[in-house]
Amino acid sequence: MTATLNKPGTRLGLVLAVCCLAQFMNVLDASVMNVALPSIFEDLRFERHDLQWVNSAYTIAVCGFLLLGGRLADLFGQRRVFLFGAALFTVASAVGGMATSPGTLIAARGFQGLGAAVMAPASLTVLGTTFRDPTARAKAFGWWSAVSGTGGAVGVLLGGIVTESLGWRWVLLINVPLGIALVSMIRGAVPETPSNGGRKALDVPGAFTVTLGLMALVYGIAQSHELGWGSWQVAGSLALAVVLFAFFLRQQTVSSHPLMPLGIFRNRAVTAANIVAFFAIAALFSTFYFLTLVLQQVMGFSPLQTGLGYLPLSIGIALGGFSVARIVPKIGPRPVLIAGLLTATVGLLWVSTADESSTFLGSILIPTTLLGLGMGAVLNATTNAATSGVPREQAGLASGLLNTIRQMGSAIGLVVLATMSSARADSLLAQGEPLQHSLGSGFGLALFGAGVFTFCGALAAIAVPRKK
């Protein structure tokens, strides 16, 4: 890429590297902590029922503030907001890595999530406003999507290596040098966009309402597995979410400067692409969780072997994203989405049959490669469909909406499939089946459910407009 930005001397390749590094840090952090949780539990003396908040604090903050983060990039300038998000994420990582109490770590994870919620839509906004040529835009989204997909898989491997060799604190502290480098790169490469109104144009009531609504929804879902759907905590949180969302929608119709102009949903591509993203990410990130359990608890892999076992999936995602970079501008995202989701469905249904007698070559290698190829194509095409054709002043809104839907998909999908998996395993154990077989059957059911999610995504992709 030899073209330059409006700012003299700024190279497109460097802008792409900045955005990919930011997204890699976001996605990596969402998965790398899982491997370190047992060590954190022992070192900081967590209460067992509180340990989940190491992840839940991050997820709730990301889900709650993503939409606001995307809007801030439109209103205050993409470079300024990008810098703020990267700096906050870096500082929170340092605080978390040096935490000496559960409360400090949980708070740090929440601020990490806030930084990620600002960074993610800002990075996507920068790509969308910088790469205007359709071919260059598709290539940029190919890199960004490949990083998004592989970051989760890399996190599983990196988390195991770092925790075993350096200790759990370095799972967080590794973000500090990366974050410092990212801040420097943003300052040198990303051009500033003019402010679109600043505080006068920010829908404060709408921002707080949708943020609190999303937090209440995610909290209710996160607690449902432990407390049950009928508990007052879960039911109350979900009811509060419904009320807040209703108020938010009303606020958007009366505000002179709405946070999320509802007219954006008149864009058929945006609406359909977000539905596809919900199902696709619900399947992909649930697979990271359940496939890890299958490999370790059912097939007997070590943590390092498990990480290496993710290589076909990671390589498949990268190849899938790159392979469609030139195709999407020519034929449009719709056929790519449908083909990719159907390919991923086949891979998930195949890998759901793995049990204690399965081998890596026979039950993991080919289906995870198919899953990776399909999902890599889907991540690229979904990003393209959800952000192309959107007015410049709504670019941050579109990318914030897409990232919010993705995060919601990962949270909701995992909770639903975990509930199914636990119910299946508990039922078999009650019937006297061996533990390994019971767990394998439960995990297999969850992976089958992930395949159902991808098939639903393929049905939704039919609504994406054809290329004219």
Side-chain angles (χ1 to χ4, degrees):
M1 299 179 186
T2 59
T4 58
L5 300 172
N6 293 331
K7 182 179 178 181
T10 303
R11 296 173 296 175
L12 287 176
L14 187 55
V15 174
L16 177 59
V18 170
C19 295
C20 286
L21 176 58
Q23 184 62 7
F24 180 78
M25 290 173 65
N26 285 339
V27 177
L28 180 72
D29 202 74
S31 63
V32 73
M33 289 296 294
N34 289 324
V35 181
L37 286 177
S39 298
I40 293 172
F41 173 78
E42 295 180 2
D43 191 26
L44 296 186
R45 298 181 180 179
F46 264 82
E47 294 292 336
R48 189 167 297 278
H49 62 276
D50 289 335
L51 186 62
Q52 63 170 318
W53 285 105
V54 175
N55 281 339
S56 294
Y58 181 89
T59 303
I60 289 174
V62 172
C63 289
F65 289 99
L66 264 175
L67 194 58
L68 179 60
R71 191 59 172 155
L72 289 175
D74 293 333
L75 298 178
F76 295 98
Q78 60 188 26
R79 181 172 180 267
R80 187 178 295 111
V81 172
F82 202 172
L83 278 171
F84 171 76
L88 179 59
F89 187 91
T90 303
V91 172
S93 297
V95 173
M98 295 183 290
T100 58
S101 68
T104 302
L105 179 58
I106 291 172
R109 288 287 286 165
F111 280 104
Q112 262 193 308
L114 177 58
V118 175
M119 257 204 311
S123 69
L124 196 53
T125 301
V126 170
L127 284 184
T129 57
T130 300
F131 293 86
R132 308 304 296 177
D133 176 74
T135 301
R137 181 189 180 95
K139 289 181 179 179
F141 282 148
W143 279 98
W144 192 90
S145 300
V147 168
S148 299
T150 57
V154 170
V156 178
L157 177 59
L158 184 62
I161 294 174
V162 171
T163 301
E164 290 185 10
S165 59
L166 299 175
W168 70 265
R169 295 182 183 278
W170 281 96
V171 170
L172 290 164
L173 293 176
I174 196 173
N175 289 321
V176 176
L178 291 176
I180 293 173
L182 177 62
V183 169
S184 299
M185 292 169 70
I186 295 171
R187 290 175 61 87
V190 177
E192 187 58 279
T193 53
S195 170
N196 291 328
R199 287 184 175 84
K200 294 182 179 179
L202 183 60
D203 175 19
V204 176
F208 276 100
T209 304
V210 72
T211 299
L212 292 174
L214 287 169
M215 291 174 69
L217 177 61
V218 174
Y219 176 82
I221 294 171
Q223 294 296 306
S224 64
H225 183 59
E226 179 181 351
L227 302 178
W229 291 101
S231 67
W232 69 267
Q233 295 97 324
V234 173
S237 294
L238 297 180
L240 177 61
V242 171
V243 171
L244 289 170
F245 285 143
F247 183 86
F248 169 73
L249 291 176
R250 181 183 181 280
Q251 174 67 19
Q252 301 315 290
T253 63
V254 300
S255 175
S256 58
H257 299 287
L259 176 66
M260 186 180 70
L262 299 181
I264 194 172
F265 291 105
R266 298 192 188 101
N267 186 320
R268 181 178 161 190
V270 170
T271 302
N274 276 277
I275 296 173
V276 170
F278 177 89
F279 285 113
I281 297 301
L284 181 59
F285 280 89
S286 296
T287 299
F288 288 144
Y289 178 80
F290 289 108
L291 183 59
T292 299
L293 297 178
V294 168
L295 292 174
Q296 290 193 33
Q297 297 186 7
V298 178
M299 297 177 65
F301 281 36
S302 69
L304 181 58
Q305 288 174 324
T306 299
L308 293 174
Y310 271 92
L311 288 178
L313 177 59
S314 302
I315 294 172
I317 290 174
L319 292 178
F322 295 139
S323 66
V324 301
R326 295 183 179 181
I327 299 176
V328 172
K330 297 178 181 179
I331 66 175
R334 177 180 172 177
V336 174
L337 287 172
I338 295 174
L341 287 162
L342 292 178
T343 300
T345 300
V346 172
L348 283 167
L349 296 182
W350 187 344
V351 80
S352 72
T353 64
D355 56 25
E356 61 271 23
S357 63
S358 299
T359 64
F360 179 79
L361 293 178
S363 300
I364 304 297
L365 176 61
I366 297 177
T368 56
T369 301
L370 291 175
L371 174 62
L373 290 171
M375 281 299 185
V378 169
L379 290 170
N380 186 325
T382 302
T383 304
N384 199 299
T387 57
S388 61
V390 176
R392 185 185 184 94
E393 64 272 13
Q394 290 188 339
L397 170 62
S399 53
L401 179 62
L402 176 63
N403 278 284
T404 299
I405 293 298
R406 283 174 166 170
Q407 289 291 333
M408 293 303 298
S410 64
I412 295 173
L414 181 56
V415 167
V416 170
L417 296 180
T419 302
M420 293 169 48
S421 176
S422 296
R424 175 64 174 168
D426 290 345
S427 175
L428 291 177
L429 286 171
Q431 298 173 23
E433 295 290 337
L435 176 62
Q436 191 177 27
H437 174 73
S438 300
L439 291 176
S441 181
F443 301 152
L445 179 61
L447 291 169
F448 182 89
V452 173
F453 283 161
T454 54
F455 183 74
C456 290
L459 295 178
I462 296 174
V464 174
R466 297 178 182 271
K467 181 178 174 61
K468 298 181 179 179

